Amino acid sequence: MKLTPAEFAFMNTRNRQRAMGYEFGALIKHLKKHGIDLNGKVILDAGCGPGFSTGLISLEFRPSRLVAFDLMPEMVELARKHTTAEFFVGNITDTGLPPGTFDAVFIFDVLHHEPGWRTALQEMARVLKPDGVLLVEEPSKQLVRLGNLFDMYHPPEAMFGWSELRRGLLSTGFKILENGRLGLGLFQNYLCRKEEASL
Ligand SMILES: C[S@@+](CC[C@H](N)C(=O)[O-])C[C@H]1O[C@@H](n2cnc3c(N)ncnc32)[C@H](O)[C@@H]1O
């Protein structure tokens, strides 16, 4: 779903950019721990927002191909100014991207906006190569509810708890390699591998 003007404004602040660095760093630690090297790989940034994450991915991994998309054309426009990638306006539940394309997919704080978040996970599994990795970070449902009191809107269907998200990942055919907590447990991240038998 599109962001409210209040959340759109927040996503474009220096504070959000700083937080993004912290969130990204936590995922890099998971990758290193598992000896996964994404240098020169084909990478997707799903729901890229203003492109802070896309810029970090570009600098860290020098991907051979970096694709990024967002539902909001205004976000894609900002992201294009921020960094270089193959940007497009698209929906995480149905990207139109060819199957088995990516070595890695990053999803930073997008699933809690999407009523069809389970479909989104299936779509990301579809576009990953066999053995590709999915890196996800999401806020707790308590934090998401709190946001709704401050001029943000998150659909009730996407207010999943941690066990629900875990089940969603596993039932899509992802193996969870690592699961970490950030910000006193207000956020959690996951490093997953697509299993051969999944979609
Ligand atoms: C909280 S922001 C996070 C942006 C960026 N990933 C970051 O962490 O800086 C959520 C983003 O997801 C996008 N979004 C929401 N629903 C989406 C969907 N169904 N498909 C693609 N993008 C979506 C929003 O437009 C917004 O840019």
Side-chain angles (χ1 to χ4, degrees), residues 92-125:
I92 193 168
T93 60
D94 184 10
T95 60
L97 291 163
T101 304
F102 297 96
D103 297 294
V105 171
F106 285 81
I107 309 177
F108 283 106
D109 303 309
V110 181
L111 296 176
H112 66 284
H113 287 280
E114 177 45 59
W117 61 275
R118 290 185 181 84
T119 310
L121 289 178
Q122 287 164 9
E123 175 65 358
M124 296 301 98

PDB file of all heavy atoms in Angstrom, residues 92-125:
ATOM      1  N   ILE A  92       5.263  -5.504  -5.164  1.00  0.00           N
ATOM      2  CA  ILE A  92       6.015  -6.659  -4.652  1.00  0.00           C
ATOM      3  C   ILE A  92       5.227  -7.968  -4.775  1.00  0.00           C
ATOM      4  O   ILE A  92       5.803  -9.050  -4.773  1.00  0.00           O
ATOM      5  CB  ILE A  92       6.472  -6.405  -3.194  1.00  0.00           C
ATOM      6  CG1 ILE A  92       7.522  -7.424  -2.750  1.00  0.00           C
ATOM      7  CG2 ILE A  92       5.293  -6.370  -2.233  1.00  0.00           C
ATOM      8  CD1 ILE A  92       8.231  -7.082  -1.462  1.00  0.00           C
ATOM      9  N   THR A  93       3.906  -7.893  -4.915  1.00  0.00           N
ATOM     10  CA  THR A  93       3.111  -9.122  -5.041  1.00  0.00           C
ATOM     11  C   THR A  93       3.097  -9.659  -6.473  1.00  0.00           C
ATOM     12  O   THR A  93       2.694 -10.799  -6.704  1.00  0.00           O
ATOM     13  CB  THR A  93       1.647  -8.897  -4.591  1.00  0.00           C
ATOM     14  OG1 THR A  93       1.081  -7.893  -5.416  1.00  0.00           O
ATOM     15  CG2 THR A  93       1.563  -8.493  -3.139  1.00  0.00           C
ATOM     16  N   ASP A  94       3.501  -8.822  -7.419  1.00  0.00           N
ATOM     17  CA  ASP A  94       3.467  -9.230  -8.831  1.00  0.00           C
ATOM     18  C   ASP A  94       4.386  -8.299  -9.616  1.00  0.00           C
ATOM     19  O   ASP A  94       3.957  -7.274 -10.145  1.00  0.00           O
ATOM     20  CB  ASP A  94       2.019  -9.130  -9.344  1.00  0.00           C
ATOM     21  CG  ASP A  94       1.890  -9.636 -10.772  1.00  0.00           C
ATOM     22  OD1 ASP A  94       2.860 -10.235 -11.289  1.00  0.00           O
ATOM     23  OD2 ASP A  94       0.825  -9.424 -11.375  1.00  0.00           O
ATOM     24  N   THR A  95       5.676  -8.670  -9.666  1.00  0.00           N
ATOM     25  CA  THR A  95       6.678  -7.735 -10.207  1.00  0.00           C
ATOM     26  C   THR A  95       6.787  -7.764 -11.723  1.00  0.00           C
ATOM     27  O   THR A  95       7.312  -6.831 -12.322  1.00  0.00           O
ATOM     28  CB  THR A  95       8.077  -8.066  -9.645  1.00  0.00           C
ATOM     29  OG1 THR A  95       8.407  -9.409 -10.043  1.00  0.00           O
ATOM     30  CG2 THR A  95       8.124  -7.939  -8.136  1.00  0.00           C
ATOM     31  N   GLY A  96       6.356  -8.878 -12.319  1.00  0.00           N
ATOM     32  CA  GLY A  96       6.545  -9.023 -13.764  1.00  0.00           C
ATOM     33  C   GLY A  96       7.988  -9.350 -14.133  1.00  0.00           C
ATOM     34  O   GLY A  96       8.333  -9.417 -15.315  1.00  0.00           O
ATOM     35  N   LEU A  97       8.845  -9.576 -13.123  1.00  0.00           N
ATOM     36  CA  LEU A  97      10.255  -9.909 -13.403  1.00  0.00           C
ATOM     37  C   LEU A  97      10.362 -11.389 -13.790  1.00  0.00           C
ATOM     38  O   LEU A  97       9.566 -12.214 -13.334  1.00  0.00           O
ATOM     39  CB  LEU A  97      11.108  -9.642 -12.157  1.00  0.00           C
ATOM     40  CG  LEU A  97      11.278  -8.161 -11.778  1.00  0.00           C
ATOM     41  CD1 LEU A  97      11.760  -8.024 -10.328  1.00  0.00           C
ATOM     42  CD2 LEU A  97      12.252  -7.474 -12.740  1.00  0.00           C
ATOM     43  N   PRO A  98      11.346 -11.739 -14.607  1.00  0.00           N
ATOM     44  CA  PRO A  98      11.491 -13.151 -14.998  1.00  0.00           C
ATOM     45  C   PRO A  98      11.858 -14.031 -13.801  1.00  0.00           C
ATOM     46  O   PRO A  98      12.532 -13.560 -12.878  1.00  0.00           O
ATOM     47  CB  PRO A  98      12.642 -13.131 -16.018  1.00  0.00           C
ATOM     48  CG  PRO A  98      12.946 -11.717 -16.282  1.00  0.00           C
ATOM     49  CD  PRO A  98      12.347 -10.865 -15.214  1.00  0.00           C
ATOM     50  N   PRO A  99      11.423 -15.283 -13.816  1.00  0.00           N
ATOM     51  CA  PRO A  99      11.745 -16.180 -12.691  1.00  0.00           C
ATOM     52  C   PRO A  99      13.238 -16.481 -12.612  1.00  0.00           C
ATOM     53  O   PRO A  99      13.949 -16.402 -13.617  1.00  0.00           O
ATOM     54  CB  PRO A  99      10.953 -17.458 -13.023  1.00  0.00           C
ATOM     55  CG  PRO A  99      10.674 -17.388 -14.474  1.00  0.00           C
ATOM     56  CD  PRO A  99      10.627 -15.935 -14.863  1.00  0.00           C
ATOM     57  N   GLY A 100      13.713 -16.813 -11.417  1.00  0.00           N
ATOM     58  CA  GLY A 100      15.096 -17.268 -11.234  1.00  0.00           C
ATOM     59  C   GLY A 100      16.145 -16.261 -11.659  1.00  0.00           C
ATOM     60  O   GLY A 100      17.182 -16.650 -12.204  1.00  0.00           O
ATOM     61  N   THR A 101      15.901 -14.982 -11.405  1.00  0.00           N
ATOM     62  CA  THR A 101      16.818 -13.941 -11.895  1.00  0.00           C
ATOM     63  C   THR A 101      17.885 -13.521 -10.880  1.00  0.00           C
ATOM     64  O   THR A 101      19.022 -13.226 -11.252  1.00  0.00           O
ATOM     65  CB  THR A 101      16.003 -12.676 -12.278  1.00  0.00           C
ATOM     66  OG1 THR A 101      15.011 -13.049 -13.231  1.00  0.00           O
ATOM     67  CG2 THR A 101      16.885 -11.586 -12.867  1.00  0.00           C
ATOM     68  N   PHE A 102      17.533 -13.504  -9.589  1.00  0.00           N
ATOM     69  CA  PHE A 102      18.384 -12.804  -8.612  1.00  0.00           C
ATOM     70  C   PHE A 102      19.133 -13.749  -7.673  1.00  0.00           C
ATOM     71  O   PHE A 102      18.610 -14.769  -7.236  1.00  0.00           O
ATOM     72  CB  PHE A 102      17.535 -11.827  -7.784  1.00  0.00           C
ATOM     73  CG  PHE A 102      16.919 -10.753  -8.644  1.00  0.00           C
ATOM     74  CD1 PHE A 102      15.618 -10.897  -9.122  1.00  0.00           C
ATOM     75  CD2 PHE A 102      17.648  -9.638  -9.018  1.00  0.00           C
ATOM     76  CE1 PHE A 102      15.056  -9.933  -9.947  1.00  0.00           C
ATOM     77  CE2 PHE A 102      17.097  -8.671  -9.849  1.00  0.00           C
ATOM     78  CZ  PHE A 102      15.803  -8.822 -10.312  1.00  0.00           C
ATOM     79  N   ASP A 103      20.371 -13.333  -7.356  1.00  0.00           N
ATOM     80  CA  ASP A 103      21.151 -14.047  -6.333  1.00  0.00           C
ATOM     81  C   ASP A 103      20.685 -13.638  -4.949  1.00  0.00           C
ATOM     82  O   ASP A 103      20.809 -14.415  -3.997  1.00  0.00           O
ATOM     83  CB  ASP A 103      22.645 -13.696  -6.477  1.00  0.00           C
ATOM     84  CG  ASP A 103      23.208 -14.153  -7.795  1.00  0.00           C
ATOM     85  OD1 ASP A 103      23.280 -15.382  -8.011  1.00  0.00           O
ATOM     86  OD2 ASP A 103      23.555 -13.295  -8.643  1.00  0.00           O
ATOM     87  N   ALA A 104      20.191 -12.400  -4.831  1.00  0.00           N
ATOM     88  CA  ALA A 104      19.753 -11.915  -3.513  1.00  0.00           C
ATOM     89  C   ALA A 104      18.628 -10.904  -3.681  1.00  0.00           C
ATOM     90  O   ALA A 104      18.618 -10.114  -4.624  1.00  0.00           O
ATOM     91  CB  ALA A 104      20.919 -11.255  -2.779  1.00  0.00           C
ATOM     92  N   VAL A 105      17.682 -10.960  -2.743  1.00  0.00           N
ATOM     93  CA  VAL A 105      16.596  -9.977  -2.687  1.00  0.00           C
ATOM     94  C   VAL A 105      16.592  -9.358  -1.292  1.00  0.00           C
ATOM     95  O   VAL A 105      16.636 -10.081  -0.288  1.00  0.00           O
ATOM     96  CB  VAL A 105      15.223 -10.641  -2.943  1.00  0.00           C
ATOM     97  CG1 VAL A 105      14.090  -9.660  -2.659  1.00  0.00           C
ATOM     98  CG2 VAL A 105      15.111 -11.155  -4.377  1.00  0.00           C
ATOM     99  N   PHE A 106      16.578  -8.019  -1.232  1.00  0.00           N
ATOM    100  CA  PHE A 106      16.461  -7.302   0.040  1.00  0.00           C
ATOM    101  C   PHE A 106      15.049  -6.738   0.172  1.00  0.00           C
ATOM    102  O   PHE A 106      14.527  -6.136  -0.772  1.00  0.00           O
ATOM    103  CB  PHE A 106      17.442  -6.113   0.084  1.00  0.00           C
ATOM    104  CG  PHE A 106      18.871  -6.519   0.304  1.00  0.00           C
ATOM    105  CD1 PHE A 106      19.659  -6.974  -0.757  1.00  0.00           C
ATOM    106  CD2 PHE A 106      19.447  -6.431   1.568  1.00  0.00           C
ATOM    107  CE1 PHE A 106      20.988  -7.341  -0.560  1.00  0.00           C
ATOM    108  CE2 PHE A 106      20.775  -6.791   1.770  1.00  0.00           C
ATOM    109  CZ  PHE A 106      21.546  -7.248   0.709  1.00  0.00           C
ATOM    110  N   ILE A 107      14.434  -6.930   1.345  1.00  0.00           N
ATOM    111  CA  ILE A 107      13.141  -6.303   1.650  1.00  0.00           C
ATOM    112  C   ILE A 107      13.293  -5.564   2.981  1.00  0.00           C
ATOM    113  O   ILE A 107      13.342  -6.203   4.042  1.00  0.00           O
ATOM    114  CB  ILE A 107      11.993  -7.331   1.818  1.00  0.00           C
ATOM    115  CG1 ILE A 107      11.915  -8.313   0.644  1.00  0.00           C
ATOM    116  CG2 ILE A 107      10.666  -6.624   2.003  1.00  0.00           C
ATOM    117  CD1 ILE A 107      10.818  -9.386   0.832  1.00  0.00           C
ATOM    118  N   PHE A 108      13.408  -4.255   2.922  1.00  0.00           N
ATOM    119  CA  PHE A 108      13.530  -3.468   4.146  1.00  0.00           C
ATOM    120  C   PHE A 108      12.198  -2.801   4.471  1.00  0.00           C
ATOM    121  O   PHE A 108      11.782  -1.850   3.791  1.00  0.00           O
ATOM    122  CB  PHE A 108      14.589  -2.365   3.983  1.00  0.00           C
ATOM    123  CG  PHE A 108      16.007  -2.855   4.080  1.00  0.00           C
ATOM    124  CD1 PHE A 108      16.785  -2.955   2.945  1.00  0.00           C
ATOM    125  CD2 PHE A 108      16.560  -3.190   5.307  1.00  0.00           C
ATOM    126  CE1 PHE A 108      18.108  -3.392   3.025  1.00  0.00           C
ATOM    127  CE2 PHE A 108      17.868  -3.627   5.398  1.00  0.00           C
ATOM    128  CZ  PHE A 108      18.644  -3.726   4.249  1.00  0.00           C
ATOM    129  N   ASP A 109      11.509  -3.306   5.502  1.00  0.00           N
ATOM    130  CA  ASP A 109      10.326  -2.619   6.050  1.00  0.00           C
ATOM    131  C   ASP A 109       9.215  -2.392   5.020  1.00  0.00           C
ATOM    132  O   ASP A 109       8.658  -1.299   4.938  1.00  0.00           O
ATOM    133  CB  ASP A 109      10.751  -1.279   6.688  1.00  0.00           C
ATOM    134  CG  ASP A 109      11.801  -1.482   7.772  1.00  0.00           C
ATOM    135  OD1 ASP A 109      11.566  -2.320   8.649  1.00  0.00           O
ATOM    136  OD2 ASP A 109      12.846  -0.817   7.728  1.00  0.00           O
ATOM    137  N   VAL A 110       8.899  -3.401   4.265  1.00  0.00           N
ATOM    138  CA  VAL A 110       7.873  -3.278   3.220  1.00  0.00           C
ATOM    139  C   VAL A 110       6.665  -4.188   3.508  1.00  0.00           C
ATOM    140  O   VAL A 110       5.516  -3.789   3.304  1.00  0.00           O
ATOM    141  CB  VAL A 110       8.463  -3.640   1.825  1.00  0.00           C
ATOM    142  CG1 VAL A 110       7.407  -3.500   0.728  1.00  0.00           C
ATOM    143  CG2 VAL A 110       9.671  -2.782   1.512  1.00  0.00           C
ATOM    144  N   LEU A 111       6.918  -5.389   4.028  1.00  0.00           N
ATOM    145  CA  LEU A 111       5.841  -6.386   4.148  1.00  0.00           C
ATOM    146  C   LEU A 111       4.702  -5.908   5.045  1.00  0.00           C
ATOM    147  O   LEU A 111       3.545  -6.231   4.801  1.00  0.00           O
ATOM    148  CB  LEU A 111       6.405  -7.713   4.683  1.00  0.00           C
ATOM    149  CG  LEU A 111       7.414  -8.414   3.776  1.00  0.00           C
ATOM    150  CD1 LEU A 111       7.958  -9.657   4.463  1.00  0.00           C
ATOM    151  CD2 LEU A 111       6.797  -8.771   2.421  1.00  0.00           C
ATOM    152  N   HIS A 112       5.020  -5.086   6.068  1.00  0.00           N
ATOM    153  CA  HIS A 112       3.960  -4.636   6.985  1.00  0.00           C
ATOM    154  C   HIS A 112       3.059  -3.590   6.333  1.00  0.00           C
ATOM    155  O   HIS A 112       2.110  -3.128   6.946  1.00  0.00           O
ATOM    156  CB  HIS A 112       4.552  -4.108   8.300  1.00  0.00           C
ATOM    157  CG  HIS A 112       5.359  -2.855   8.155  1.00  0.00           C
ATOM    158  ND1 HIS A 112       6.630  -2.824   7.634  1.00  0.00           N
ATOM    159  CD2 HIS A 112       5.059  -1.568   8.447  1.00  0.00           C
ATOM    160  CE1 HIS A 112       7.084  -1.587   7.626  1.00  0.00           C
ATOM    161  NE2 HIS A 112       6.144  -0.797   8.120  1.00  0.00           N
ATOM    162  N   HIS A 113       3.352  -3.239   5.087  1.00  0.00           N
ATOM    163  CA  HIS A 113       2.489  -2.327   4.315  1.00  0.00           C
ATOM    164  C   HIS A 113       1.589  -3.086   3.352  1.00  0.00           C
ATOM    165  O   HIS A 113       0.748  -2.489   2.699  1.00  0.00           O
ATOM    166  CB  HIS A 113       3.335  -1.352   3.479  1.00  0.00           C
ATOM    167  CG  HIS A 113       3.998  -0.305   4.298  1.00  0.00           C
ATOM    168  ND1 HIS A 113       3.344   0.820   4.743  1.00  0.00           N
ATOM    169  CD2 HIS A 113       5.262  -0.205   4.766  1.00  0.00           C
ATOM    170  CE1 HIS A 113       4.167   1.565   5.456  1.00  0.00           C
ATOM    171  NE2 HIS A 113       5.347   0.960   5.479  1.00  0.00           N
ATOM    172  N   GLU A 114       1.823  -4.373   3.215  1.00  0.00           N
ATOM    173  CA  GLU A 114       1.181  -5.109   2.128  1.00  0.00           C
ATOM    174  C   GLU A 114       0.220  -6.189   2.658  1.00  0.00           C
ATOM    175  O   GLU A 114       0.679  -7.187   3.226  1.00  0.00           O
ATOM    176  CB  GLU A 114       2.290  -5.734   1.247  1.00  0.00           C
ATOM    177  CG  GLU A 114       1.808  -6.577   0.128  1.00  0.00           C
ATOM    178  CD  GLU A 114       0.656  -5.969  -0.671  1.00  0.00           C
ATOM    179  OE1 GLU A 114       0.831  -4.879  -1.220  1.00  0.00           O
ATOM    180  OE2 GLU A 114      -0.423  -6.592  -0.720  1.00  0.00           O
ATOM    181  N   PRO A 115      -1.108  -6.003   2.459  1.00  0.00           N
ATOM    182  CA  PRO A 115      -2.060  -7.033   2.911  1.00  0.00           C
ATOM    183  C   PRO A 115      -1.718  -8.414   2.338  1.00  0.00           C
ATOM    184  O   PRO A 115      -1.888  -9.426   3.001  1.00  0.00           O
ATOM    185  CB  PRO A 115      -3.414  -6.544   2.376  1.00  0.00           C
ATOM    186  CG  PRO A 115      -3.242  -5.103   2.075  1.00  0.00           C
ATOM    187  CD  PRO A 115      -1.782  -4.878   1.796  1.00  0.00           C
ATOM    188  N   GLY A 116      -1.201  -8.440   1.131  1.00  0.00           N
ATOM    189  CA  GLY A 116      -0.837  -9.718   0.501  1.00  0.00           C
ATOM    190  C   GLY A 116       0.623 -10.057   0.748  1.00  0.00           C
ATOM    191  O   GLY A 116       1.327 -10.490  -0.171  1.00  0.00           O
ATOM    192  N   TRP A 117       1.102  -9.912   2.002  1.00  0.00           N
ATOM    193  CA  TRP A 117       2.538 -10.094   2.272  1.00  0.00           C
ATOM    194  C   TRP A 117       2.990 -11.531   2.016  1.00  0.00           C
ATOM    195  O   TRP A 117       4.134 -11.760   1.616  1.00  0.00           O
ATOM    196  CB  TRP A 117       2.899  -9.624   3.683  1.00  0.00           C
ATOM    197  CG  TRP A 117       2.216 -10.342   4.806  1.00  0.00           C
ATOM    198  CD1 TRP A 117       0.989 -10.061   5.326  1.00  0.00           C
ATOM    199  CD2 TRP A 117       2.708 -11.473   5.538  1.00  0.00           C
ATOM    200  NE1 TRP A 117       0.686 -10.938   6.332  1.00  0.00           N
ATOM    201  CE2 TRP A 117       1.717 -11.811   6.501  1.00  0.00           C
ATOM    202  CE3 TRP A 117       3.886 -12.224   5.497  1.00  0.00           C
ATOM    203  CZ2 TRP A 117       1.881 -12.869   7.386  1.00  0.00           C
ATOM    204  CZ3 TRP A 117       4.041 -13.279   6.389  1.00  0.00           C
ATOM    205  CH2 TRP A 117       3.055 -13.590   7.312  1.00  0.00           C
ATOM    206  N   ARG A 118       2.077 -12.484   2.202  1.00  0.00           N
ATOM    207  CA  ARG A 118       2.463 -13.888   1.925  1.00  0.00           C
ATOM    208  C   ARG A 118       2.679 -14.079   0.422  1.00  0.00           C
ATOM    209  O   ARG A 118       3.600 -14.778  -0.006  1.00  0.00           O
ATOM    210  CB  ARG A 118       1.394 -14.848   2.432  1.00  0.00           C
ATOM    211  CG  ARG A 118       1.310 -14.916   3.941  1.00  0.00           C
ATOM    212  CD  ARG A 118       0.312 -15.982   4.370  1.00  0.00           C
ATOM    213  NE  ARG A 118       0.187 -16.075   5.811  1.00  0.00           N
ATOM    214  CZ  ARG A 118      -0.606 -15.306   6.546  1.00  0.00           C
ATOM    215  NH1 ARG A 118      -1.352 -14.383   5.975  1.00  0.00           N
ATOM    216  NH2 ARG A 118      -0.654 -15.437   7.867  1.00  0.00           N
ATOM    217  N   THR A 119       1.809 -13.451  -0.371  1.00  0.00           N
ATOM    218  CA  THR A 119       1.972 -13.506  -1.834  1.00  0.00           C
ATOM    219  C   THR A 119       3.291 -12.835  -2.226  1.00  0.00           C
ATOM    220  O   THR A 119       3.999 -13.288  -3.146  1.00  0.00           O
ATOM    221  CB  THR A 119       0.785 -12.784  -2.521  1.00  0.00           C
ATOM    222  OG1 THR A 119      -0.410 -13.289  -1.973  1.00  0.00           O
ATOM    223  CG2 THR A 119       0.795 -12.950  -4.021  1.00  0.00           C
ATOM    224  N   ALA A 120       3.614 -11.746  -1.513  1.00  0.00           N
ATOM    225  CA  ALA A 120       4.878 -11.042  -1.789  1.00  0.00           C
ATOM    226  C   ALA A 120       6.072 -11.968  -1.561  1.00  0.00           C
ATOM    227  O   ALA A 120       7.016 -11.997  -2.369  1.00  0.00           O
ATOM    228  CB  ALA A 120       4.987  -9.799  -0.897  1.00  0.00           C
ATOM    229  N   LEU A 121       6.021 -12.763  -0.490  1.00  0.00           N
ATOM    230  CA  LEU A 121       7.128 -13.706  -0.226  1.00  0.00           C
ATOM    231  C   LEU A 121       7.225 -14.741  -1.346  1.00  0.00           C
ATOM    232  O   LEU A 121       8.324 -15.094  -1.791  1.00  0.00           O
ATOM    233  CB  LEU A 121       6.924 -14.405   1.127  1.00  0.00           C
ATOM    234  CG  LEU A 121       7.127 -13.531   2.367  1.00  0.00           C
ATOM    235  CD1 LEU A 121       6.836 -14.350   3.631  1.00  0.00           C
ATOM    236  CD2 LEU A 121       8.543 -12.961   2.421  1.00  0.00           C
ATOM    237  N   GLN A 122       6.064 -15.212  -1.812  1.00  0.00           N
ATOM    238  CA  GLN A 122       6.079 -16.196  -2.914  1.00  0.00           C
ATOM    239  C   GLN A 122       6.670 -15.582  -4.182  1.00  0.00           C
ATOM    240  O   GLN A 122       7.433 -16.216  -4.904  1.00  0.00           O
ATOM    241  CB  GLN A 122       4.654 -16.684  -3.199  1.00  0.00           C
ATOM    242  CG  GLN A 122       4.123 -17.610  -2.121  1.00  0.00           C
ATOM    243  CD  GLN A 122       2.605 -17.778  -2.202  1.00  0.00           C
ATOM    244  OE1 GLN A 122       1.965 -17.346  -3.154  1.00  0.00           O
ATOM    245  NE2 GLN A 122       2.038 -18.388  -1.183  1.00  0.00           N
ATOM    246  N   GLU A 123       6.324 -14.301  -4.403  1.00  0.00           N
ATOM    247  CA  GLU A 123       6.832 -13.621  -5.598  1.00  0.00           C
ATOM    248  C   GLU A 123       8.360 -13.456  -5.515  1.00  0.00           C
ATOM    249  O   GLU A 123       9.071 -13.626  -6.497  1.00  0.00           O
ATOM    250  CB  GLU A 123       6.120 -12.261  -5.747  1.00  0.00           C
ATOM    251  CG  GLU A 123       6.607 -11.368  -6.866  1.00  0.00           C
ATOM    252  CD  GLU A 123       6.374 -11.929  -8.266  1.00  0.00           C
ATOM    253  OE1 GLU A 123       5.866 -13.051  -8.416  1.00  0.00           O
ATOM    254  OE2 GLU A 123       6.750 -11.227  -9.233  1.00  0.00           O
ATOM    255  N   MET A 124       8.862 -13.148  -4.310  1.00  0.00           N
ATOM    256  CA  MET A 124      10.308 -12.995  -4.151  1.00  0.00           C
ATOM    257  C   MET A 124      11.019 -14.343  -4.319  1.00  0.00           C
ATOM    258  O   MET A 124      12.098 -14.410  -4.904  1.00  0.00           O
ATOM    259  CB  MET A 124      10.635 -12.359  -2.784  1.00  0.00           C
ATOM    260  CG  MET A 124      10.121 -10.943  -2.614  1.00  0.00           C
ATOM    261  SD  MET A 124      10.739  -9.750  -3.848  1.00  0.00           S
ATOM    262  CE  MET A 124       9.429  -9.677  -5.025  1.00  0.00           C
ATOM    263  N   ALA A 125      10.368 -15.413  -3.841  1.00  0.00           N
ATOM    264  CA  ALA A 125      10.948 -16.751  -4.047  1.00  0.00           C
ATOM    265  C   ALA A 125      10.993 -17.070  -5.543  1.00  0.00           C
ATOM    266  O   ALA A 125      11.949 -17.655  -6.047  1.00  0.00           O
ATOM    267  CB  ALA A 125      10.132 -17.793  -3.301  1.00  0.00           C
TER     268      ALA A 125
END
